[in-house]
């Protein structure tokens, strides 16, 4: 098995690793700094806080649903390294807008009318940035790495992503929002420099054009520039919706790919529900400060990184869903444990929000954090082999579009989970009880993981006997 130490020193891997690490850091620093500041410093009701957290999550997720088909086509039909450079250039402008929103909110200047719309617009644009970068960071691995290096490379990318999430979350929880505004811009600049070092990754398919099944026929019938301008946005969005549907349906005809994508989607639905609930849960259920909400995300990120590396060692370089069903069942059990500890939590009588040091001293703090760590470790062990499976089970020319289809379904599932959480809140279901929703989803993921492993074994036998 190729060691991770060997890969991390290779130019065919290191610049990509650094670029995606900085991108994940910036995403999470900006999003968490924004959400924590609004939840703890702008709003004063659980309903407003939960609604804003859900809106922020939706703003980041929507671009994946709308534009993933286009991003997958671009990644397969254009040089992936060139797309990385363009995307990282755009990140600089996006973070300048986001920084302005953070600074206006900090100064309490037109918060509802200007600052929050600016912050959400930048978050939407960062979601768009990640939509176009996401397929590339996985699809480029089989192109630059040997076959026996792909699982190690995928594990490093996943571990690096969650280490970056960890770092971004820590920084967001502990530095002032005005300092966060400066850091996100500087990080975007460094990410731009790193992205320029990624070696060329030419497309596997040549001579093909981007597909616009609705836009081109409509424009062929309309010659007026004014009419074209007026209808461009709605027709383009309809085009992308149709392309997304066709991409997903074509990709998921292959049963192992269908099962892998569905299993990953249910996993990220669980993650989305938990991440949405962390800030209001920490503030209103546990009586804890924003540093504690940040601590939850830190523990979750550490656990995912540990699980990513651990499963690579268990599988010894082989891409397989062998341990996925058991991993996600264990994850569900830890979710139930987390729920039970939250139910038993006793709020401080003075109603003063606990800092991190006071929180750690609470009798139930250690069981709570261990439950959360268990959720994350088992989750990392579940999801990493599935990503590697998606990039190796299909032809190299189809990997980017396969990941794009996966992103579309994942995003739709996360949006559905967010909408369900908001609906449950309106039905006066407490945040603590909503956590059990994640445990139920783990059972579905376990079934999908088991079916995937059976399909994987059948595929291997058919190749062996074929």
């Amino acid at each position: 098995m190729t060691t991770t130490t060997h890969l991390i020193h290779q130019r065919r891997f290191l610049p990509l690793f650094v670029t995606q690490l900085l991108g994940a850091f910036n995403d999470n620093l900006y999003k968490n700094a924004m959400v924590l500041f609004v939840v703890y410093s702008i709003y004063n009701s659980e309903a407003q806080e939960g609604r804003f957290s859900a809106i922020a999550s939706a703003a980041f997720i929507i671009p994946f649903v709308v534009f993933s088909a286009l991003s997958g086509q671009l990644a397969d039909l254009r040089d992936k390294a060139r797309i990385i450079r363009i995307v990282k250039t755009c990140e600089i402008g996006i973070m300048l807008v986001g920084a302005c929103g953070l600074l206006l909110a900090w100064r309490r200047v037109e918060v509802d009318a200007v600052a929050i719309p600016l912050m959400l617009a930048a978050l939407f644009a960062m979601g768009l940035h990640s939509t176009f970068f996401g397929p590339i960071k996985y699809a480029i691995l089989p192109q630059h790495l040997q076959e026996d290096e792909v699982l190690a490379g995928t594990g490093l990318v996943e571990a690096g992503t969650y280490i970056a999430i960890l770092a971004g979350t820590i920084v967001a929880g502990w530095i002032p929002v005005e300092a966060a505004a400066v850091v996100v811009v500087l990080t975007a600049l460094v990410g731009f420099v790193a992205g320029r070092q990624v070696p060329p990754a030419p497309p596997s398919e040549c001579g093909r054009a981007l597909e616009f099944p609705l836009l081109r026929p409509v424009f062929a019938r309309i010659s007026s520039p004014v009419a074209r301008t007026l209808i461009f946005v709605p027709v383009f969005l309809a085009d992308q919706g149709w392309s997304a549907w066709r991409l997903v349906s074509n990709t998921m005809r292959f049963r192992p790919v269908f099962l892998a994508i569905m299993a990953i989607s249910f996993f990220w639905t669980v993650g989305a529900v938990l991440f949405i609930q962390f800030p209001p849960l920490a503030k209103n259920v546990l009586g804890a400060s924003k540093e504690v909400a940040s601590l939850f995300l830190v523990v979750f990120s550490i656990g995912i990184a540990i699980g990513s590396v651990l499963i690579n060692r268990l599988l010894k370089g082989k891409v397989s869903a062998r341990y996925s069903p058991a991993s996600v069942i264990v994850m569900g059990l830890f979710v139930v444990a987390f729920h039970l500890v939250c139910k038993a939590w006793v709020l401080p009588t003075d109603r003063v929000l606990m800092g991190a040091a006071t929180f750690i001293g609470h009798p139930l703090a250690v069981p709570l954090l261990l439950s959360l760590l268990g959720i994350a470790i088992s989750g990392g062990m579940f999801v990493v082999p599935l990503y590697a499976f998606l990039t190796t089970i299909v032809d190299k020319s189809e990997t980017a579009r396969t990941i794009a289809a996966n992103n579309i379904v994942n995003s739709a599932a996360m949006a559905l989970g967010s909408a369900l959480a908001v609906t449950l809140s309106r039905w006066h279901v407490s945040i603590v009880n909503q956590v059990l929703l994640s445990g139920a989803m783990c059972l579905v993921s376990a079934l999908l993981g088991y079916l995937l492993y059976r399909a994987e074994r059948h595929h291997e036998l058919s190749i062996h006997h074929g």
Side-chain angles (χ1 to χ4, degrees):
M1 182 179 65
T2 302
T3 64
T4 55
T5 304
H6 168 73
L7 278 181
I8 206 69
H9 292 296
Q10 301 295 312
R11 183 172 180 260
R12 57 198 171 97
F13 180 78
L14 180 59
L16 174 72
F17 178 75
V18 172
T19 302
Q20 65 86 28
L21 186 146
L22 291 172
F25 171 82
N26 228 17
D27 279 348
N28 286 274
L29 170 57
Y30 176 73
K31 180 181 178 182
N32 287 314
M34 179 188 73
V35 171
L36 291 174
F37 183 75
V38 171
V39 167
Y40 280 89
S41 301
I42 302 296
Y43 295 137
N44 291 306
S45 77
E46 182 177 323
Q48 285 181 312
E49 294 154 11
R51 184 168 59 250
F52 179 80
S53 184
I55 290 172
S57 295
F60 192 78
I61 290 169
I62 287 172
F64 287 94
V65 180
V66 178
F67 296 105
S68 284
L70 179 60
S71 70
Q73 287 187 64
L74 280 171
D76 278 335
L77 301 177
R78 299 291 186 271
D79 187 306
K80 298 174 184 63
R82 184 168 182 266
I83 297 174
I84 288 174
R85 295 184 184 101
I86 294 172
V87 167
K88 301 314 287 185
T89 302
C90 293
E91 185 184 1
I92 298 172
I94 295 168
M95 285 295 92
L96 285 171
V97 173
C100 288
L102 290 175
L103 291 174
L104 287 173
W106 169 58
R107 297 294 298 272
R108 301 296 197 278
V109 176
E110 298 290 342
V111 175
D112 289 325
V114 179
I116 288 180
L118 272 181
M119 292 189 292
L120 290 174
L123 187 62
F124 175 88
M126 282 304 288
L128 189 61
H129 157 279
S130 298
T131 300
F132 283 91
F133 186 75
I136 293 173
K137 74 176 183 180
Y138 292 109
I140 205 171
L141 293 179
Q143 198 166 347
H144 283 167
L145 305 183
Q146 301 298 321
E147 185 175 346
D148 62 348
E149 296 175 328
V150 173
L151 181 61
T154 304
L156 269 175
V157 167
E158 283 295 295
T161 296
Y162 286 101
I163 289 171
I165 292 172
L166 164 65
T169 303
I170 291 174
V171 174
W174 290 91
I175 68 172
V177 69
E178 64 273 22
V182 176
V183 175
V184 293
V185 175
L186 294 178
T187 304
L189 291 170
V190 178
F192 168 77
V193 174
R196 294 188 64 82
Q197 310 307 313
V198 176
S204 301
E205 300 181 27
C206 300
R208 287 185 56 185
L210 292 173
E211 300 174 6
F212 294 100
L214 300 179
L215 192 63
R216 285 186 172 134
V218 170
F219 271 40
R221 293 178 174 84
I222 299 175
S223 58
S224 168
V226 175
R228 285 186 172 188
T229 302
L230 291 174
I231 68 170
F232 176 80
V233 171
V235 175
F236 176 77
L237 293 176
D239 207 334
Q240 293 309 301
W242 169 251
S243 296
W245 171 257
R246 190 173 59 175
L247 172 64
V248 170
S249 61
N250 289 339
T251 301
M252 296 178 70
R253 286 177 181 173
F254 185 34
R255 180 173 170 80
V257 172
F258 167 79
L259 292 170
I261 289 176
M262 293 304 296
I264 294 171
S265 295
F266 272 97
F267 170 80
W268 284 119
T269 302
V270 174
V273 171
L274 291 173
F275 269 62
I276 287 171
Q277 301 297 356
F278 280 162
L281 185 144
K283 180 181 178 183
N284 300 294
V285 176
L286 305 178
S289 66
K290 72 171 187 174
E291 288 80 12
V292 176
S294 179
L295 177 63
F296 285 178
L297 298 173
V298 167
V299 171
F300 198 87
S301 303
I302 291 174
I304 290 283
I306 293 172
S308 301
V309 175
L310 181 59
I311 194 64
N312 183 37
R313 292 184 177 274
L314 285 174
L315 290 173
K316 300 180 180 178
K318 182 182 179 182
V319 178
S320 174
R322 182 191 316 161
Y323 297 107
S324 292
S327 297
V328 79
I329 287 175
V330 172
M331 179 179 173
L333 294 174
F334 277 115
V335 169
V336 174
F338 183 81
H339 161 79
L340 293 174
V341 176
C342 287
K343 288 281 287 184
W345 194 273
V346 178
L347 284 171
T349 55
D350 57 8
R351 304 294 295 178
V352 176
L353 295 179
M354 292 183 288
T358 306
F359 172 82
I360 294 296
H362 193 285
L364 293 178
V366 172
L368 188 76
L369 293 176
L370 287 178
S371 299
L372 186 58
L373 184 64
I375 293 171
I377 291 175
S378 51
M381 294 179 65
F382 171 76
V383 77
V384 168
L386 304 189
Y387 276 113
F389 185 85
L390 284 180
T391 61
T392 55
I393 196 68
V394 298
D395 187 83
K396 289 183 179 180
S397 64
E398 299 291 331
T399 51
R401 271 174 285 191
T402 301
I403 295 298
N406 175 65
N407 287 343
I408 293 171
V409 181
N410 291 177
S411 302
M414 286 188 286
L416 182 62
S418 301
L420 181 57
V422 172
T423 302
L424 291 174
S425 295
R426 289 187 175 181
W427 290 347
H428 306 292
V429 178
S430 67
I431 292 176
V432 175
N433 289 330
Q434 289 180 36
V435 172
L436 284 180
L437 172 68
S438 303
M441 291 177 182
C442 289
L443 295 176
V444 180
S445 293
L447 175 61
L448 291 169
Y450 171 71
L451 294 175
L452 174 61
Y453 182 59
R454 286 183 58 186
E456 172 196 324
R457 296 292 298 160
H458 182 269
H459 181 69
E460 289 176 351
L461 289 173
S462 64
I463 292 176
H464 180 72
H465 293 296

